[in-house]
Amino acid sequence: MAECLVLDQEVGGSSPPRPAKNLKEILNGEKVVGTFSEKEMRIRLDSLRTVMSDVGIDSVLFTSIHNINYYSDFLYCSFGRPYGLVVTKNKATTISANIDAGQPHRRTYGENLVYTDWRRDNYAKAVIELVGDSNKIGIEFDHVNLSLAQKLKDSMPKSEWIDISQECMKLRMIKSDEEIELIRQGARIADIGGSACVEAISEGVPEYQVALHSTQAMVSEIAGTFPHLELMDTWTWFQSGINTDGAHNPVTSREIEKGDILSLNCFPMISGYYTALERTLFYKELTDENIRLWEINCQVHDAGKELLKPGAVCGDIAKQLNEIYLEHDLLKYRTFGYGHSFGVLSHYFGREAGLELREDIETVLEPNMVISMEPMITIPESQSGAGGYREHDILLITEEGNENFTGFPYGPENNVINN
């Protein structure tokens, strides 16, 4: 069994705690205020246990950031070490590395078990202790790597490992009222980041300075709105000129020039919950072809938002929007799908692939899904109107249609910047 190292009780003590060789608990400090209510977290775990019963598994080992965060409210930083969450019929326990000390305990809804670095197989020892005599164990086949999967199989040769990733993804796709409110706040904060971006735009200013100004504004607002939460991972991609051709191009030291096409991309992160604001802008000057392309992309954006309603099929929405681009011979310049789900995700973790607006996705939209509309085309540098054009709103699917959480204006009449 794991040894218990209670750091918050050793202060002033006469002797140091006994070191644990493999596994231990570090109960350093009190539990913090969680992102969500206890009722919300219980509902999530109860829904998971219903799936476990339906599938016929005894316990689940989560290894991904998104599912560990969703079911425990703990957001881990791997740094090359494996993390986990084991859920059984009556218990949920995160597995963390000793380097994090008591922070996982404080942040976890449930219990926490720490493994040390003294031996390479200590993570597997933690899993074995928590799953007990489980014969069938759920695991995320879309996340666990081959090396770890083999180590777990070798450590528990009598256990059967069953994929549970798709069932959990479907559960995460329907948002609770508390999640919806968090996403709504994130969209509001993204709008603040957008305004800060515009404020910082000026000739000769490098991309990274605009991005830093935006990010600082969003982090300050998150801290004021959610003072009990950790502040991590909020960022801005601000792109100019040729750097606008990709949706995920990092910021550079390129300086803004008159006539530049600009991409504003603000991403406040709140406890692993991603929200986004993305807008096309121009600095002071633009051509008739720039306006034509921009307005067509805004037309697709508007049409797409009208299509987001209960009963619509993701793939059908993509096909209908393709027709608008085809009318203008621009479909060949489209770069990705028209939108995706929101919730626990980021640029380096998480994705609810079953709720994306792509031709090959047959998911039917339901109330309490949250999804973006974000059409983009990229015109090559060799052609008139070159650059990447992209607009992005976040919408909640309601019983009647949708509610748009994004308030930042878009289009040529609003976003030609003259600072």
Side-chain angles (χ1 to χ4, degrees):
M1 296 294 292
E3 297 185 50
C4 183
L5 181 61
V6 188
L7 293 185
D8 60 348
Q9 293 184 8
E10 76 171 85
V11 178
S14 59
S15 60
R18 181 164 54 95
K21 293 182 179 179
N22 299 315
L23 307 175
K24 58 185 177 182
E25 293 178 280
I26 303 180
L27 309 179
N28 191 34
E30 300 297 322
K31 294 280 191 179
V32 299
V33 177
T35 308
F36 300 101
S37 69
E38 183 171 347
K39 178 182 178 181
E40 165 81 9
M41 299 306 294
R42 282 202 312 267
I43 289 173
R44 294 184 187 188
L45 288 167
D46 287 347
S47 297
L48 172 63
R49 287 176 175 128
T50 298
V51 171
M52 290 166 60
S53 177
D54 292 343
V55 176
I57 56 180
D58 307 306
S59 59
V60 174
L61 168 65
F62 292 115
T63 54
S64 68
I65 291 178
H66 44 279
N67 272 324
I68 292 174
N69 178 254
Y70 185 78
Y71 289 108
S72 75
D73 201 25
F74 168 54
L75 193 67
Y76 73 76
C77 176
S78 174
F79 238 112
R81 295 174 173 88
Y83 283 68
L85 169 67
V86 172
V87 179
T88 61
K89 294 176 182 178
N90 53 21
K91 195 174 180 181
T93 309
T94 53
I95 302 171
S96 61
N98 195 38
I99 192 171
D100 293 329
Q103 185 259 2
H105 154 73
R106 295 191 298 273
R107 289 282 165 185
T108 293
Y109 176 79
E111 299 181 25
N112 171 248
L113 181 62
V114 176
Y115 73 93
T116 69
D117 286 344
W118 317 149
R119 297 185 182 182
R120 289 189 178 274
D121 58 353
N122 282 348
Y123 177 83
K125 283 185 169 64
V127 175
I128 292 170
E129 176 163 324
L130 294 174
V131 302
D133 58 356
S134 298
N135 294 315
K136 295 184 177 181
I137 306 172
I139 198 169
E140 299 168 85
F141 282 2
D142 63 352
H143 181 268
V144 67
N145 60 51
L146 290 173
S147 175
L148 181 57
Q150 190 59 53
K151 182 174 289 188
L152 293 171
K153 290 178 182 179
D154 292 343
S155 301
M156 292 168 275
K158 295 183 180 179
S159 297
E160 180 183 356
W161 297 87
I162 299 170
D163 182 36
I164 199 172
S165 61
Q166 299 307 300
E167 287 83 355
C168 290
M169 178 186 69
K170 292 173 184 176
L171 291 177
R172 298 198 317 273
M173 281 162 43
I174 305 296
K175 310 305 176 189
S176 69
D177 290 345
E178 290 188 26
E179 285 182 287
I180 290 168
E181 180 56 29
L182 189 72
I183 295 168
R184 181 183 281 108
Q185 289 293 329
R188 178 185 66 82
I189 293 169
D191 285 349
I192 291 173
S195 296
C197 264
V198 171
E199 180 180 69
I201 291 171
S202 187
E203 189 167 1
V205 175
E207 293 174 358
Y208 73 87
Q209 286 190 7
V210 177
L212 287 171
H213 186 66
S214 169
T215 300
Q216 184 178 40
M218 291 189 290
V219 170
S220 295
E221 185 64 22
I222 294 170
T225 306
F226 303 97
H228 55 290
L229 299 183
E230 295 173 330
L231 300 171
M232 58 186 293
D233 297 335
T234 293
W235 84 105
T236 301
W237 282 323
F238 178 78
Q239 303 137 349
S240 63
I242 193 171
N243 295 333
T244 65
D245 66 344
H248 300 157
N249 294 350
V251 298
T252 73
S253 57
R254 183 187 185 279
E255 296 179 355
I256 297 170
E257 301 175 4
K258 188 181 294 185
D260 270 348
I261 184 172
L262 308 171
S263 286
L264 172 161
N265 310 269
C266 301
F267 307 104
M269 292 291 295
I270 307 169
S271 293
Y273 275 72
Y274 165 105
T275 46
L277 168 70
E278 301 172 15
R279 289 289 186 259
T280 302
L281 308 94
F282 274 83
Y283 185 60
K284 290 193 173 180
E285 297 177 355
L286 68 168
T287 67
D288 289 343
E289 182 64 0
N290 290 141
I291 295 174
R292 185 184 79 87
L293 294 165
W294 196 359
E295 289 181 338
I296 291 169
N297 205 55
C298 290
Q299 178 187 350
V300 175
H301 186 56
D302 290 336
K305 288 186 288 185
E306 291 294 323
L307 294 171
L308 294 178
K309 54 189 177 183
V313 177
C314 290
D316 291 346
I317 292 172
K319 292 169 186 174
Q320 290 180 67
L321 296 180
N322 283 347
E323 294 299 318
I324 301 176
Y325 282 138
L326 277 171
E327 290 174 15
H328 301 279
D329 194 29
L330 292 175
L331 185 58
K332 58 191 173 186
Y333 299 123
R334 182 188 139 199
T335 61
F336 56 86
Y338 290 99
H340 59 78
S341 181
F342 280 78
V344 183
L345 65 103
S346 175
H347 55 317
Y348 61 87
F349 68 83
R351 193 74 168 182
E352 292 165 13
L355 188 50
E356 295 190 15
L357 299 177
R358 295 191 336 225
E359 293 86 341
D360 60 339
I361 301 296
E362 297 302 319
T363 302
V364 178
L365 297 184
E366 301 177 33
N368 283 28
M369 289 179 170
V370 181
I371 193 166
S372 62
M373 175 50 59
E374 49 179 311
M376 179 177 181
I377 51 173
T378 296
I379 309 302
E381 280 294 292
S382 60
Q383 299 185 26
S384 177
Y389 299 77
R390 182 171 70 262
E391 312 299 338
H392 178 295
D393 287 12
I394 301 172
L395 300 103
L396 166 70
I397 305 301
T398 64
E399 295 288 347
E400 297 78 22
N402 66 63
E403 177 188 349
N404 194 339
F405 290 167
T406 301
F408 201 89
Y410 59 95
E413 66 277 14
N414 295 303
N415 286 333
V416 178
I417 310 302
N418 290 297
N419 297 349

